[in-house]
Amino acid sequence: TDRKKLHTAPVGQVFRLRPFHVLVATGGGYAGYRKYEDYKLEQLEKRGIEVPVKLASEWEVALYKSVPTRLLSRAWGRLNQVELPTWLRKPVYSLYIWTFGVNMKEAAVEDLHHYRNLSEFFRRKLKPQARPVCGVHSVISPSDGKILNFGQVKNCEVEQVKGVTYSLESFLGPRISTEEMHFNRAPPGNSFQQQLVTKEGNELYHCVIYLAPGDYHCFHSPTDWTVSHRRHFPGSLMSVNPGVARWIKELFCHNERVVLTGDWKHGFFSLTAVGATNVGSIRIYFDQDLHTNSPSYSKGSYNDFSFISNNNKEGIPMRKGEHLGEFNLGSTIVLIFEAPKDFKFNLKAGQKIRFGEALGSL
């Protein structure tokens, strides 16, 4: 008679999975996987071991491109804009911070409850003093990230990572008409690379910066220059992390990207924002007509827009360090520019860099 009653429930109710449980389990598993992958790469870098290049075959690339990454990225973008309950914000953002090593002490607003959704958290602003802009060197890093590659452009080929190249012309698209540029065009018989170099004795240089999901997601002007033209390639939205960049040749030419071209004091200058999986949104602050990852645009085409008009003969002037645009999540910035032969990069491949730090100078 002293026994207590035991209340039972059907087995189906006891083990029924709820969406929140699935979210926590999936997020936790992915976080652990990312930590393990980062640990392996760190160990290889510390030991000075280079990961051997193993390129994907044509059928592997075709299979990857068949995945509806553009549709998935649009869905992810809508999910990111869903307002989270106040009580859920801190655990969700804390998991993201732990997974990708986000430094919230640099954020203008450190309180996690302030960010209503994931999109606001991704696009968080920094404290003004967090990124001092180098005033000594002529070219600074436009963003936080990791240096994948840099150097001179040779034989119309650019390295996306060491040993893996892509075509300069495929990446930038056909040469822009001379009416939209401030400088004279090279003779048409020259190679595409030679046509970009406008001053005798200059060379063409490139630098590739990978933005990880935990990095600051805005990008800025890397130097004082004038933007004359924008070219938008709809493209695919494959991952651009260093592992995939080593695996797929011409990855940056496959993916959606926004190419800004113009000139600086030494001639041709371009900045390209390359999209990636879940980065369907590339925003350029002064370009309200740009709409990336739109279903109205088909792959394999490109859309041009000139900032030079009857009312604006010069284009869009940009000062070094000025806000230029932003990504959702993380992606890649590619700089391709003309400079004298004595231009030197102050970099090492694989190093971490922050917006405002020097890339190189004369």
Side-chain angles (χ1 to χ4, degrees):
T1 57
D2 294 332
R3 293 178 181 173
K4 295 180 180 179
K5 290 183 178 180
L6 177 65
H7 295 277
T8 61
V11 175
Q13 291 183 13
V14 174
F15 293 101
R16 185 171 56 190
L17 292 175
R18 300 182 185 278
F20 176 72
H21 300 152
V22 174
L23 175 64
V24 172
T26 305
Y30 180 67
Y33 168 75
R34 289 292 310 180
K35 282 290 184 182
Y36 176 66
E37 288 296 313
D38 291 343
Y39 172 78
K40 288 198 302 182
L41 287 174
E42 287 175 4
Q43 293 304 308
L44 289 174
E45 289 177 356
K46 287 179 180 178
R47 294 162 60 184
I49 299 175
E50 292 187 6
V51 179
V53 175
K54 184 180 179 181
L55 294 177
S57 61
E58 290 186 8
W59 71 267
E60 288 176 313
V61 175
L63 182 63
Y64 191 178
K65 292 178 72 174
S66 69
V67 177
T69 51
R70 287 164 62 86
L71 179 62
L72 292 173
S73 296
R74 284 195 289 271
W76 176 256
R78 292 192 180 95
L79 179 63
N80 284 354
Q81 295 173 8
V82 174
E83 185 169 344
L84 296 176
T86 304
W87 63 270
L88 189 58
R89 294 175 189 177
K90 188 170 183 179
V92 170
Y93 300 148
S94 296
L95 177 62
Y96 187 91
I97 290 168
W98 177 77
T99 303
F100 298 110
V102 178
N103 183 3
M104 285 302 294
K105 291 183 178 180
E106 297 178 333
V109 180
E110 296 184 38
D111 182 11
L112 297 180
H113 295 101
H114 169 79
Y115 303 100
R116 295 173 298 175
N117 52 48
L118 285 166
S119 182
E120 285 188 3
F121 179 72
F122 294 151
R123 294 181 284 107
R124 63 193 176 276
K125 304 301 181 183
L126 298 181
K127 295 173 181 175
Q129 68 274 18
R131 296 290 186 274
V133 175
C134 176
V136 177
H137 293 78
S138 55
V139 183
I140 62 168
S141 176
S143 66
D144 287 6
K146 180 180 181 180
I147 301 296
L148 293 189
N149 216 306
F150 62 92
Q152 284 190 18
V153 177
K154 298 180 180 179
N155 301 320
C156 295
E157 293 282 327
V158 185
E159 283 192 316
Q160 59 191 29
V161 294
K162 188 174 181 180
V164 182
T165 63
Y166 56 92
S167 164
L168 179 65
E169 186 169 5
S170 296
F171 181 69
L172 296 178
R175 187 73 169 93
I176 301 164
S177 64
T178 54
E179 288 78 9
E180 299 177 17
M181 307 304 287
H182 293 188
F183 39 83
N184 295 325
R185 184 175 180 175
N190 292 357
S191 68
F192 183 81
Q193 177 178 337
Q194 292 171 327
Q195 291 179 33
L196 295 181
V197 178
T198 62
K199 298 180 181 180
E200 188 175 352
N202 281 2
E203 297 287 349
L204 206 61
Y205 297 87
H206 74 98
C207 183
V208 183
I209 305 169
Y210 167 68
L211 288 75
D215 288 326
Y216 169 56
H217 291 81
C218 296
F219 51 93
H220 301 245
S221 176
T223 192
D224 295 335
W225 65 306
T226 302
V227 184
S228 307
H229 186 272
R230 179 258 293 163
R231 177 168 284 160
H232 170 217
F233 292 83
S236 301
L237 285 171
M238 295 184 282
S239 172
V240 293
N241 72 60
V244 178
R246 293 188 189 97
W247 184 51
I248 298 181
K249 183 178 173 64
E250 297 202 335
L251 172 65
F252 299 156
C253 296
H254 292 299
N255 271 18
E256 179 159 22
R257 58 198 181 278
V258 177
V259 182
L260 299 178
T261 54
D263 67 304
W264 70 318
K265 60 184 178 181
H266 299 297
F268 174 81
F269 199 97
S270 72
L271 181 149
T272 302
V274 183
T277 308
N278 297 335
V279 192
S281 173
I282 301 172
R283 183 183 174 193
I284 305 297
Y285 294 139
F286 58 75
D287 188 354
Q288 301 302 316
D289 295 322
L290 175 65
H291 301 286
T292 57
N293 195 16
S294 170
S296 61
Y297 293 130
S298 59
K299 297 180 184 179
S301 62
Y302 62 83
N303 310 286
D304 284 348
F305 185 85
S306 175
F307 297 110
I308 295 178
S309 63
N310 292 331
N311 297 326
N312 181 4
K313 299 291 186 181
E314 299 298 320
I316 308 295
M318 297 296 301
R319 302 294 297 175
K320 183 168 65 174
E322 186 178 351
H323 278 83
L324 183 55
E326 64 186 32
F327 291 111
N328 264 327
L329 208 58
S331 196
T332 298
I333 295 285
V334 180
L335 302 179
I336 298 175
F337 58 92
E338 175 185 357
K341 291 182 178 180
D342 56 351
F343 181 87
K344 300 294 182 184
F345 283 103
N346 302 313
L347 303 172
K348 292 182 180 179
Q351 78 171 70
K352 291 288 292 181
I353 197 165
R354 304 200 303 176
F355 154 62
E357 294 179 345
L359 287 183
S361 189
L362 298 171

